[in-house]
Amino acid sequence: MPDFLFTDFANQNIRTGTDVVQTNGRDVVGLGPWRYVADSLATAALFAAHPRLVARSSNGRYFRALPEGGRITIEAGGAKGDGVTDDGPAMRATLAYAAAVSARGAAFHAPRYRIDRIQASEAVVQGNPPIQLVRQGDAPLDFGGATLTRIGEGRGIVFSPGQVSPVLTLPLGADVVAGSMEVTLASGGGAQLAVGDTVLWQLGELPYDKPETLNWSFASVVAITGNVVRLDRPMPEALALASVTGLNKRLLKLQPLRDWTLRDVTLVGPAEDGVSISYAERVRLDRIGGRLMGAGTVHAQYCEGLTLEDCWQDGCLTSQPSFGYAFNFAEVRNTLLNRPRARACKGLVNAEAGAQLTIISGHFENSIVDAAGASLSSQVCVVNAVGKSSVTVHDLTITGFGGYRLLETNNGVAGYDGVATFSGTLRLNHPSDPYSIPLNSMTGTLDITIAGVREVYNFERLRHWRKRFLLRDGEYRYAYGPAGLLARARVYASPSLTVGAGQQLTGLWLGRAGDNGPNIADGPSRRIEAGKDVNVTTYAGAVAGTQWNLRNQPLGLLCVTAPNAGLNAANEFVEFEGWFAEQTERDVVLSEDAVRGAGVEQDPLEAVFPAYDLPSIAAGSSASVVLPIPDMQPTDYVESVRFVGGFHGLELRSIEPQAGNLRLVIANPAAQPIDRAPTDLGIAFHHQIWGN
């Protein structure tokens, strides 16, 4: 039975033959008892480098802490686990010793440790010192479910080559050719590399954040000829060096973090971030939690093959606002977030600079408030995917306050929008209406409950509706379509039509019955372009003319043309096309018959008069034409009157549906008589539906 502490080693005369000693504590009985061995690794050099875990007896023998199960408890390194003492030096000393003796790492036995950041006396660290630096080649960090509570502000667990190993910058000396596996370095660059070195290329810069680039990747050097370096993978894009004013036309020689795991730890602030990983491949973060992390639980940049499993962040109300997203990524690929959770922060995931993410089974609780206790509303964005990022979300639940933005893909820089898709089931449960849900990003099921009222919409089976306006001067025409969620929409204008304020088509308003909504013909972000299919972003929520509280009202279109616009003698048109998500009832999708029976579908009809001979109309005169159409009713809606070959200068002044007939008034504004040659005449119409 041991009867001395680790700190008493210097007073013990341990004779040869006794090679393993167990203490009854480190500096107090019962705290940090451990076994120590005198073997070939227990040397004066090891003692000098790791005095917390290596001891020297009074007769000059060296004993080192012996790993158990491959690990060494940080209590053996001096940790108290009392919530008061700074256990950071003990933690870092134990991890450093474990690496020195090729152990699997440290063991954490107490539920909570009080940790401060690395001090200058302990290690020189660039920038804001973290609580723990990870080094390339370190063993996996398994905290066994322990909580690390910060004493002061700062960073958490960090890997960055710039802090733990040299990073060599090698500028390029020639333009890069797409598909080439060779790059040319500036003079003398080749001499600084060797076959087998790992490099990261950084080519091109984003206009809004100069250090970041979309064109990056890790590669191995396979051959060097002077300053020409051959890599083991091709360049995906060409780069002209003259096109870049900043630094990102270079290779970086560095040692990335590879095949490493961090698991089972909760980091408690106040702190900036929990875990920050830069330049890494095949890294796992399992069950990492953060509380009071101002800038998020996880930050990652230049990472390939990053996996986050069951990671979470719990923000707070006002004492330490979580001013950022729970999980933040830039320049990452093949990155998976499985079951991420966050509450009381400004967002779940932030993706920038071409980050490529997949999120599965996430949960976000919108419960952050300001100092007055009010919701931050539209300041909260659940998924931010900007700078050509690509995010796929499968199964997401959002609870808490209803005011938030589900998705943002634009950071204000044209041409750098991101892309996000929501598949599976998006579940929303709020006491009030949502603010903004981009329906054009939905592909699965929307299961939404507002103040206890539940509605489920199926985005896998969209119902199609189309309306074409044949344009005439000075029109102010309404058309009504189906009710329900407008999941997709597009607009096409004929190629020679002019669109916008003061042009031929001055407005095409998209809204609901009783709400005109936005003008998509003259809107700054949804402008119609003649001769092009233009997709219209569609939302649920209190924006974009499809307001949530009007979702059961028919879709409304208002088409407005300018007077004297020259449309009467032209065949110009604008066409709107929409796809609607159907509401399910008791897990049964409404049939097409049920939809038509509810009166939400038009039944388009057409009467055709072959080789119709319109009478000659004198200059400045008009003619009344009555066309027999047996199906016509006085309440019908006439969509178009079409002469094959056009009106030849005539103008259509009025259209009057009658019982069994259609009365047209056609005028000749010219100075000469017009006798239109016989041609086919088509009348498109439909019977009245509710709302028309």
Side-chain angles (χ1 to χ4, degrees):
M1 182 71 181
D3 58 359
F4 66 91
L5 302 170
F6 171 82
T7 51
D8 292 333
F9 250 112
N11 301 319
Q12 304 300 314
N13 186 340
I14 305 176
R15 298 178 180 179
T16 301
T18 303
D19 293 332
V20 178
V21 173
Q22 179 166 337
T23 65
N24 59 2
R26 189 180 189 280
D27 49 17
V28 296
V29 174
L31 182 60
W34 203 252
R35 290 194 301 165
Y36 297 83
V37 62
D39 61 7
S40 60
L41 294 180
T43 63
L46 191 70
F47 172 63
H50 304 281
R52 284 177 174 265
L53 293 129
V54 182
R56 182 178 183 274
S57 67
S58 62
N59 58 331
R61 299 187 67 198
Y62 292 98
F63 288 79
R64 67 179 184 92
L66 183 64
E68 293 183 1
R71 299 181 185 277
I72 300 152
T73 179
I74 69 167
E75 281 75 11
K80 303 298 183 184
D82 56 9
V84 177
T85 305
D86 178 11
D87 289 325
M91 178 184 74
R92 294 186 287 272
T94 305
L95 289 168
Y97 171 77
V101 299
S102 299
R104 292 174 54 198
F108 298 80
H109 289 166
R112 291 179 177 83
Y113 297 92
R114 192 85 165 162
I115 304 290
D116 198 5
R117 60 188 181 181
I118 298 174
Q119 304 299 315
S121 60
E122 189 178 348
V124 177
V125 181
Q126 299 176 14
N128 190 356
I131 62 172
Q132 172 63 25
L133 273 177
V134 178
R135 300 177 184 275
Q136 194 273 342
D138 272 0
L141 269 177
D142 187 339
F143 285 87
T147 296
L148 307 184
T149 301
R150 295 298 303 272
I151 294 175
E153 296 181 0
R155 306 183 69 188
I157 299 172
V158 172
F159 173 81
S160 173
Q163 291 182 311
V164 298
S165 63
V167 176
L168 185 63
T169 299
L170 302 170
L172 296 182
D175 294 346
V176 173
V177 178
S180 175
M181 299 178 72
E182 292 184 343
V183 296
T184 300
L185 300 179
S187 178
Q192 302 184 70
L193 288 174
V195 172
D197 282 346
T198 297
V199 295
L200 175 106
W201 71 64
Q202 290 180 315
L203 304 180
E205 293 173 328
L206 299 178
Y208 55 87
D209 196 345
K210 293 295 185 183
E212 296 185 345
T213 178
L214 300 171
N215 189 356
W216 67 274
S217 192
F218 296 104
S220 294
V221 176
V222 297
I224 304 169
T225 305
N227 291 315
V228 178
V229 179
R230 185 168 182 83
L231 305 174
D232 66 345
R233 57 181 56 182
M235 292 289 169
E237 301 176 27
L239 177 75
L241 300 187
S243 67
V244 179
T245 59
L247 297 174
N248 283 354
K249 41 190 173 182
R250 61 186 178 176
L251 303 185
L252 297 180
K253 178 185 175 182
L254 49 77
Q255 287 295 319
L257 181 67
R258 288 190 171 112
D259 302 305
W260 184 77
T261 299
L262 172 67
R263 63 170 63 96
D264 292 317
V265 62
T266 297
L267 300 159
V268 179
E272 292 181 10
D273 51 52
V275 178
S276 181
I277 305 293
S278 301
Y279 307 98
E281 290 185 299
R282 300 180 300 274
V283 167
R284 288 186 62 91
L285 305 178
D286 293 345
R287 297 175 295 279
I288 310 302
R291 292 195 181 98
L292 312 185
M293 295 289 119
T297 295
V298 175
H299 282 247
Q301 186 172 21
Y302 294 114
C303 292
E304 174 83 40
L306 179 64
T307 300
L308 280 68
E309 190 95 13
D310 291 312
C311 296
W312 56 273
Q313 173 159 322
D314 192 349
C316 68
L317 303 183
T318 57
S319 61
Q320 168 66 27
S322 296
F323 55 80
Y325 292 81
F327 306 101
N328 300 269
F329 305 93
E331 290 119 335
V332 301
R333 298 196 192 102
N334 191 25
T335 295
L336 171 66
L337 285 76
N338 199 18
R339 294 183 298 276
R341 306 183 306 281
R343 66 179 298 272
C345 50
K346 284 193 174 180
L348 179 66
V349 169
N350 178 43
E352 300 181 83
Q356 298 174 4
L357 311 175
T358 298
I359 303 168
I360 298 176
S361 298
H363 184 197
F364 179 75
E365 180 184 322
N366 179 28
S367 56
I368 189 171
V369 297
D370 61 18
S375 168
L376 296 188
S377 188
S378 61
Q379 296 180 51
V380 177
C381 179
V382 181
V383 176
N384 192 49
V386 299
K388 292 192 174 181
S389 291
S390 176
V391 179
T392 299
V393 183
H394 184 80
D395 292 343
L396 175 65
T397 298
I398 307 176
T399 56
F401 297 116
Y404 58 84
R405 291 174 292 148
L406 174 63
L407 172 66
E408 181 60 68
T409 58
N410 180 273
N411 61 359
V413 181
Y416 288 87
D417 287 4
V419 176
T421 301
F422 293 84
S423 63
T425 300
L426 175 63
R427 291 185 176 87
L428 312 177
N429 192 338
H430 308 301
S432 59
D433 289 345
Y435 176 76
S436 170
I437 304 170
L439 299 178
N440 54 299
S441 296
M442 295 284 298
T443 63
T445 299
L446 176 62
D447 185 344
I448 187 164
T449 302
I450 302 174
V453 178
R454 184 185 182 196
E455 298 176 10
V456 180
Y457 292 88
N458 179 14
F459 285 78
E460 298 296 332
R461 182 174 185 248
L462 299 178
R463 181 158 39 92
H464 178 253
W465 180 79
R466 178 165 54 192
K467 168 64 183 175
R468 174 177 288 198
F469 293 94
L470 298 178
L471 302 177
R472 296 293 179 262
D473 290 348
E475 288 186 325
Y476 195 88
R477 296 170 59 191
Y478 281 100
Y480 291 95
L485 295 186
L486 181 60
R488 311 281 187 273
R490 72 159 188 93
V491 177
Y492 179 82
S494 51
S496 56
L497 182 67
T498 61
V499 181
Q503 305 299 312
Q504 291 174 315
L505 178 64
T506 61
L508 183 64
W509 296 83
L510 169 63
R512 298 283 179 173
D515 165 46
N516 287 339
N519 182 1
I520 60 176
D522 195 33
S525 61
R526 295 179 297 275
R527 191 175 185 87
I528 297 175
E529 298 182 52
K532 294 183 180 180
D533 275 320
V534 177
N535 291 321
V536 179
T537 302
T538 58
Y539 293 88
V543 292
T546 54
Q547 298 193 18
W548 184 260
N549 59 354
L550 297 174
R551 62 194 176 279
N552 293 320
Q553 298 297 319
L555 185 73
L557 296 176
L558 171 60
C559 181
V560 181
T561 58
N564 304 317
L567 293 169
N568 293 344
N571 288 315
E572 305 294 354
F573 66 89
V574 61
E575 181 177 84
F576 176 86
E577 199 166 10
W579 291 262
F580 293 78
E582 296 182 332
Q583 187 175 356
T584 62
E585 300 289 345
R586 298 178 182 176
D587 299 326
V588 177
V589 178
L590 291 175
S591 68
E592 194 68 20
D593 288 342
V595 171
R596 288 181 177 273
V600 297
E601 285 284 2
Q602 293 184 0
D603 185 14
L605 303 171
E606 187 174 42
V608 179
F609 297 86
Y612 184 81
D613 190 5
L614 187 68
S616 176
I617 302 177
S621 298
S622 61
S624 177
V625 177
V626 177
L627 302 172
I629 305 177
D631 289 335
M632 184 70 68
Q633 301 173 12
T635 56
D636 284 350
Y637 184 89
V638 178
E639 297 190 47
S640 67
V641 176
R642 174 178 56 85
F643 282 99
V644 174
F647 272 72
H648 282 201
L650 298 174
E651 294 182 356
L652 182 62
R653 292 291 175 85
S654 70
I655 305 172
E656 181 184 358
Q658 300 174 344
N661 298 299
L662 178 66
R663 181 176 181 272
L664 306 177
V665 176
I666 300 176
N668 176 11
Q672 300 293 330
I674 297 178
D675 188 1
R676 178 72 173 78
T679 186
D680 290 351
L681 170 62
I683 308 296
F685 67 103
H686 65 264
H687 297 315
Q688 184 187 44
I689 61 173
W690 184 86
N692 269 356

